[in-house]
């Protein structure tokens, strides 16, 4: 049950952001190459997840490869932007077959980019798939379309892995893939070996899940292909610095991963609107390292015994002592 630390981040961590108030943005726009250069300044960061089409203006694959090499970075995933304005009524679930085909074509282009950049997977976040109002959709048809779209792209690219990142809501009020259980239900029905789940720690919190329980469930079904970490106040997908609000739950999450010998990238999905993006990434990675060392210090046998008895007091004391040096 040893650790195997490797850190990554979504390249959007190094972008600048807008919201419905600061419509002029929280800083000047950055090109993808500028984002990669900032990622290269983060201590111990080795991989990035990159949006497709490439953000921040026209840039060639050769330029991206050169920037990655210069910053000693590689690519873990390509995230096709199947959630933009043209997909505002859905990607897989769009009522227009022509738009569904556009989404499929974009995902296949992203798959080619995975091959070109030597990445591990295509990450699918179908954020516009779902509904907003009662009676708006035929739920049977919507669910069928959600699974059919995923099935099509996975079958067309059997040599690649696809990961589905679920989220309860936003931008849709109800998203098709809104929870670990619903996502696993779809993947079990589809029954293809190259589709898994990317568990976003914050999405699990936001959805009222225990991230540790969700991780164990995905592992038990052989579907945990990737994960993101961040933090929030549970009422929204705030994408704050990992460990800033829920350190004990973050520790339990990584305890479950280590217990199951799950080795993957500890990936940041943070949105530092007002913070220095390099400092925010370093802060998160530093705390993740602390969690890893706390797991080394933790009394695993004592915890196992406490869990056998479902002794909450003993269990939390063991976790606190390891993480904070407190009894």
């Amino acid at each position: 049950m040893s650790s195997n630390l490797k850190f990554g981040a979504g390249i959007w961590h190094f972008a600048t952001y807008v919201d419905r108030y600061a419509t002029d943005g929280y800083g000047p726009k950055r090109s993808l190459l500028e984002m990669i250069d900032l990622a290269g300044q983060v201590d111990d960061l080795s991989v990035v997840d990159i949006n497709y089409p490439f953000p921040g203006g026209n840039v060639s694959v050769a330029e991206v490869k050169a920037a990655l090499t210069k910053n000693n970075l590689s690519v873990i995933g390509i995230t096709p932007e199947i959630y933009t304005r043209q997909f505002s009524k859905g990607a897989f679930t769009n009522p227009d077959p022509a738009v569904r085909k556009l989404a499929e074509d974009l995902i296949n282009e992203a798959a080619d980019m995975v091959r070109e950049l030597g990445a591990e997977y295509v990450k699918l976040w179908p954020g516009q798939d779902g509904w907003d109002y009662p009676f708006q959709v035929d739920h049977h048809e919507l669910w069928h379309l959600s699974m059919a779209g995923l099935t099509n792209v996975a079958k067309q690219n059997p040599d690649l892995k696809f990961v589905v990142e679920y989220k309860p809501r936003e931008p849709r009020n109800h998203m098709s893939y809104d929870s670990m259980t619903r996502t696993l239900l779809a993947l079990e029905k589809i029954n293809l070996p190259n589709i898994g789940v990317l568990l976003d720690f914050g999405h699990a919190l936001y959805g009222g899940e225990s991230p540790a329980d969700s991780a164990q469930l995905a592992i038990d079904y052989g579907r945990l292909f990737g994960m993101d970490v961040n933090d929030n106040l549970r009422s929204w997908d705030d994408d704050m610095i990992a460990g800033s609000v829920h350190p004990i739950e973050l520790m339990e999450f990584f305890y479950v991963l280590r217990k199951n010998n799950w080795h993957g990238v500890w990936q940041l999905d943070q949105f530092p609107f007002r913070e220095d993006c390099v400092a925010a990434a370093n802060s998160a990675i530093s705390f993740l390292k602390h969690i890893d060392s706390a797991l080394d210090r933790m009394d695993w046998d004592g915890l196992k015994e406490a869990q056998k008895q479902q002794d909450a007091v003993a269990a939390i004391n063991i976790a606190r002592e390891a993480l904070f040096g407190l009894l």
Side-chain angles (χ1 to χ4, degrees):
M1 291 184 287
S2 62
S3 67
N4 184 23
L5 298 187
K6 188 175 184 180
F7 298 106
I11 201 65
W12 48 89
H13 179 103
F14 306 98
T16 53
Y17 311 102
V18 300
D19 60 25
R20 62 194 180 119
Y21 300 102
T23 56
D24 55 342
Y26 285 87
K29 290 184 178 180
R30 292 174 182 149
S31 70
L32 175 57
L33 302 183
E34 290 172 321
M35 295 178 212
I36 293 172
D37 284 342
L38 284 169
Q41 296 177 31
V42 177
D43 299 335
D44 300 308
L45 194 74
S46 58
V47 300
V48 290
D49 182 328
I50 296 179
N51 310 83
Y52 184 83
F54 295 144
N58 293 328
V59 60
S60 70
V61 176
E63 289 174 310
V64 172
K65 286 182 176 180
L68 291 166
T69 299
K70 181 180 73 171
N71 289 284
N72 296 311
L73 295 170
S74 60
V75 180
I76 186 172
I78 298 293
T79 300
E81 294 189 340
I82 55 172
Y83 40 80
T84 54
R85 183 170 59 184
Q86 64 181 331
F87 303 114
S88 62
K89 287 190 175 182
F92 294 145
T93 64
N94 199 288
D96 186 343
V99 177
R100 297 200 297 270
K101 181 62 166 56
L102 282 176
E104 184 177 301
D105 290 345
L106 182 58
I107 292 167
N108 282 323
E109 289 178 23
D112 288 338
M113 198 55 57
V114 166
R115 297 182 184 98
E116 179 72 22
L117 294 174
E120 291 187 17
Y121 52 67
V122 179
K123 189 182 83 179
L124 299 177
W125 182 64
Q128 301 286 6
D129 283 10
W131 71 98
D132 303 306
Y133 290 91
F135 289 100
Q136 183 178 4
V137 300
D138 179 321
H139 292 288
H140 174 80
E141 176 67 13
L142 198 80
W143 188 232
H144 171 77
L145 288 172
S146 296
M147 291 189 291
L150 185 54
T151 301
N152 288 343
V153 294
K155 282 186 173 180
Q156 290 164 14
N157 300 276
D159 58 314
L160 298 182
K161 288 183 178 179
F162 288 80
V163 298
V164 180
E165 182 179 1
Y166 68 88
K167 185 179 178 181
R169 61 187 296 251
E170 192 212 11
R172 298 312 290 257
N173 290 338
H174 297 274
M175 289 176 61
S176 292
Y177 294 110
D178 68 355
S179 61
M180 178 59 80
T181 51
R182 190 174 173 93
T183 305
L184 286 176
L185 188 68
L187 300 192
E188 289 299 295
K189 180 72 172 179
I190 293 169
N191 194 29
L192 291 173
N194 61 327
I195 315 175
V197 179
L198 185 137
L199 197 168
D200 183 296
F201 181 85
H203 293 178
L205 286 177
Y206 175 31
E209 299 176 8
S210 157
D213 174 61
S214 296
Q216 186 65 65
L217 195 62
I219 289 169
D220 287 345
Y221 279 84
R223 298 289 183 179
L224 188 61
F225 285 12
M227 58 86 163
D228 286 340
V229 290
N230 44 49
D231 215 330
N232 62 50
L233 302 174
R234 286 196 185 270
S235 60
W236 196 249
D237 185 31
D238 302 303
D239 284 327
M240 297 162 68
I241 295 170
S244 57
V245 184
H246 295 96
I248 284 286
E249 285 177 277
L250 188 62
M251 181 182 178
E252 186 192 21
F253 176 70
F254 284 110
Y255 157 75
V256 166
L257 297 183
R258 191 191 287 198
K259 178 184 175 184
N260 287 275
N261 285 309
W262 188 91
H263 295 299
V265 173
W266 293 27
Q267 177 115 328
L268 305 180
D269 185 3
Q270 303 178 158
F271 276 66
F273 276 74
R274 300 166 185 82
E275 295 72 38
D276 179 278
C277 60
V278 174
N282 280 329
S283 175
I285 290 173
S286 176
F287 189 69
L288 294 178
K289 288 181 178 178
H290 179 68
I291 284 180
D292 187 65
S293 63
L295 291 174
D296 290 336
R297 294 189 298 270
M298 192 172 68
D299 180 0
W300 284 70
D301 291 336
L303 180 62
K304 184 177 181 180
E305 187 59 33
Q307 289 178 338
K308 280 183 180 179
Q309 304 302 320
Q310 298 186 17
D311 186 337
V313 174
I316 199 66
N317 282 346
I318 289 168
R320 281 176 173 173
E321 182 180 11
L323 186 60
F324 302 121
L326 298 173
L327 285 173

